[in-house]
Amino acid sequence: MFAGHLADVTCTRFHPNANYVATGSSDRTIRLWDVLNGNCARIFTGHKGPIHALAFSPNGKFLASGATDGRVLLWDIGHGLMVGELKGHTDTIYSLRFSRDGEILASGSMDNTVRLWDAMKAFDDLETDDFTTATGHIHLQDNSQELLLGTYMTKSTPVIHLHFTRRNLLLAAGAYNP
């Protein structure tokens, strides 16, 4: 049993090495748990609403989170710091997925859109000096629009699930809302 959140847990995601599990909660925090001993290894704070989506990068170094505040936050797991903020959605983000190679991050939202973000550029722009002087969050540049690769709208379907196939085809699902 993993105890620590102050409100309901709304989403979970296993780390690629299966030694950790991340949980997002209505208390606006993300916790990274050590599966072997049940201890909380990291707490990530920064969202302004309940968290509804989590995704680990394929290499396991980064975590993306989406919430009711319409923002995707990017986290460096090793340092426990927020390293990016992707703005563009206007409603709750319910799904996040990295492509198999980790170059693209897809986000699906209740605003009836799927947005594709350049994850490689977001993470490559990080300097190692940023971490040595950081005390909680590193200085974030407002470059969301530079990282946005594309926005794909549905007629009237909130996107609640995304999946990259083995051939990197992105599938999006949601319930049509007439």
Side-chain angles (χ1 to χ4, degrees), residues 15-17 56-62 98-104:
H15 188 274
N17 71 13
F56 282 102
S57 62
N59 66 10
K61 293 181 181 179
F62 301 100
F98 281 94
S99 60
R100 298 276 174 173
D101 56 10
E103 292 187 8
I104 295 172

Side-chain angles (χ1 to χ4, degrees), residues 88-89 112-117 145 148-153:
H89 285 291
N112 303 336
T113 65
V114 173
R115 293 179 187 264
L116 300 180
W117 308 92
Q145 296 311 309
L148 183 63
L149 298 173
T151 301
Y152 303 92
M153 291 182 264

Side-chain angles (χ1 to χ4, degrees), residues 59-74:
N59 66 10
K61 293 181 181 179
F62 301 100
L63 175 69
S65 60
T68 57
D69 58 12
R71 299 180 305 148
V72 176
L73 298 184
L74 305 174

Side-chain angles (χ1 to χ4, degrees), residues 73-133:
L73 298 184
L74 305 174
W75 308 91
D76 180 282
I77 296 169
H79 294 92
L81 298 172
M82 184 192 326
V83 295
E85 178 180 9
L86 306 176
K87 298 177 187 173
H89 285 291
T90 58
D91 206 341
T92 303
I93 298 167
Y94 273 109
S95 187
L96 291 168
R97 286 294 183 277
F98 281 94
S99 60
R100 298 276 174 173
D101 56 10
E103 292 187 8
I104 295 172
L105 173 65
S107 58
S109 171
M110 294 297 284
D111 64 6
N112 303 336
T113 65
V114 173
R115 293 179 187 264
L116 300 180
W117 308 92
D118 189 342
M120 289 299 289
K121 187 173 181 187
F123 298 134
D124 285 347
D125 287 349
L126 297 176
E127 300 289 333
T128 53
D129 295 341
D130 292 340
F131 296 116
T132 58
T133 59

Side-chain angles (χ1 to χ4, degrees), residues 5 8-16 20-26 28-33 42 44-45 47 49-57 62-67 71-75 77 93-98 105-108 160-162:
H5 281 292
D8 294 339
V9 171
T10 52
C11 57
T12 60
R13 184 73 60 207
F14 273 94
H15 188 274
Y20 300 97
V21 64
T23 56
S25 171
S26 294
R28 303 185 319 253
T29 66
I30 301 151
R31 292 179 184 250
L32 187 66
W33 303 92
R42 294 266 190 268
F44 302 103
T45 60
H47 277 290
I51 289 106
H52 285 283
L54 297 170
F56 282 102
S57 62
F62 301 100
L63 175 69
S65 60
R71 299 180 305 148
V72 176
L73 298 184
L74 305 174
W75 308 91
I77 296 169
I93 298 167
Y94 273 109
S95 187
L96 291 168
R97 286 294 183 277
F98 281 94
L105 173 65
S107 58
I160 58 170
H161 187 75
L162 295 169

